[in-house]
């Protein structure tokens, strides 16, 4: 345990001062990433100095193996091991043909290094307390979390299956018919069958479920996995999809209808961004186009989108863009688009569209759950137009349903 602690303390404290946690930073003479591994050290560990050695996981494992060898070589003496790690073993104890008693070389950087790392090590060691006891507590927490997750997954499956089989549970009916106060007010229901699973877990406490869903909305954006299956931190923000300014994008349009707006018979499950006809629409995040077609205008969702585009960002996250003029759509099913790539223009295509706007939605779980767009793109600026603007209603090229 001490060996591994020494490795990670050195890696995560002293090492971070030079690299700022950036894997591709070259500190000096080819030494890269947090452990400062030199190319020769990478080769010793079987890694490609120009490739694998900049992979954080492989690099840290290689660094751990190297310092473990030095700890063994110097019989557990952390100071000599760190000195060899920093300055090279030849400067500490000589070579095989010309050995010498181990000593810390008179190199200012190494002298400083062997003082700072043990100091950090002691600080972290004190903060860790009884490691075995802490690990037991963590295991207890893990087991409880697994139990809760399994319960929620089982109940969610029950509610989903009930709807598919044509006999929805009372909770699923509540969500569909909006017969529960919290659902009617738009406080809960963003997660569909999972919402009902949480209602079961908290024994019909809709207030607790509402608080959990509210918190979930704050974190779902920053932790989402998007693109080609690689983890990407969105920082809670996709790109605002309506942009002006050509190559220098600036947020465009205003919010004429926010997510969750009560429209009498239903709640608005997207955000309407009003802008003049022909204003560019950009992909809010990278992904693959899986929908690009006219809305059939049936009783099923979506209702009256006109021509709309759907982009799959991976791992169940999708976005929809509606009401754009057919002639303006630049993408087709199967196309991979980059974040910020123009896909169409704002229009009035669809049913009962009075003024030009983009209807934008964010979905989880392959379109089953439409969720609040705010954690992803922000709230935007509410519309406050005091006079008629013809650019929101007509365009020299596009008609209403073209």
């Amino acid at each position: 345990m001490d060996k591994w602690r020494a490795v990670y303390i050195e890696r995560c404290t002293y090492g971070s001062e030079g690299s700022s946690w950036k894997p591709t930073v070259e500190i000096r003479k080819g030494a890269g990433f947090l452990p400062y591994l030199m190319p020769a050290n990478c080769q010793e560990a079987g890694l490609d100095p120009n490739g694998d050695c900049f992979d954080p996981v492989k690099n840290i494992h290689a660094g751990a193996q190297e310092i473990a060898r030095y700890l063994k070589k110097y019989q557990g003496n952390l100071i000599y091991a760190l000195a060899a790690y920093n300055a090279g073993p030849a400067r500490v104890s000589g070579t095989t043909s010309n050995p010498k008693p181990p000593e810390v070389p008179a190199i200012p950087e190494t002298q400083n290094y062997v003082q700072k790392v043990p100091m950090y090590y002691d600080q972290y060691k004190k903060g860790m307390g009884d490691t075995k006891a802490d690990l037991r507590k963590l295991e207890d927490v893990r087991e409880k979390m697994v139990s809760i997750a399994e319960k929620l997954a089982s109940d969610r499956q029950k509610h989903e299956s009930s709807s598919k089989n044509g006999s929805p549970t009372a909770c699923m009916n509540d969500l569909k018919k909006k017969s529960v106060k919290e659902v009617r007010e738009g406080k809960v229901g963003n997660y569909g069958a999972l919402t009902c699973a949480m209602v079961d877990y908290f024994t019909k406490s809709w207030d607790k479920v509402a608080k959990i869903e509210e918190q979930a909305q704050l974190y779902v954006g920053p932790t989402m996995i998007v693109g080609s299956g690689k983890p990407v931190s969105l920082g809670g923000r996709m790109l605002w999809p309506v942009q002006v300014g050509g190559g220098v994008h600036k947020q465009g349009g205003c919010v004429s209808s926010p997510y969750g707006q009560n429209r009498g018979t239903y709640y608005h499950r997207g955000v309407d961004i009003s802008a003049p006809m022909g204003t560019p629409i950009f992909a809010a995040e990278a992904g693959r186009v899986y929908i690009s077609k006219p809305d059939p205008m049936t009783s099923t969702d979506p209702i009256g989108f006109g021509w709309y585009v759907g982009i799959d960002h991976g791992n169940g996250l999708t976005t929809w863009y509606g009401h754009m003029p057919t002639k303006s759509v630049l993408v087709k099913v199967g196309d991979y688009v980059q974040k910020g790539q123009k896909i169409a223009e704002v229009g009035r295509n669809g049913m009962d569209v009075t003024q030009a706007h983009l209807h934008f939605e964010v979905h989880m779980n392959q379109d089953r759950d439409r969720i609040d767009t705010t954690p992803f793109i922000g709230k935007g600026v509410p519309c406050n137009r005091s006079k008629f603007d013809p650019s929101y209603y007509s365009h020299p090229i596009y008609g209403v349903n073209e």
Side-chain angles (χ1 to χ4, degrees), residues 129 152 203 209 278 297 310 327 364 380:
L152 289 174
T203 59
V209 175
M297 296 190 190
K327 296 178 182 178
M364 288 285 290

Side-chain angles (χ1 to χ4, degrees), residues 81-133:
L82 291 172
Y85 188 90
N86 181 261
R91 292 189 176 96
V92 175
S93 55
T95 62
T96 304
S97 59
N98 187 25
K100 67 177 183 178
E103 62 178 358
V104 178
I107 300 173
E109 179 190 324
T110 304
Q111 296 276 342
N112 185 44
Y113 188 84
V114 299
Q115 292 181 37
K116 294 188 73 172
V117 173
M119 179 184 69
Y120 290 132
Y121 172 32
D122 288 339
Q123 290 175 356
Y124 277 81
K125 187 176 180 181
K126 290 176 182 177
M128 291 177 71
D130 184 345
T131 304
K132 291 183 179 179

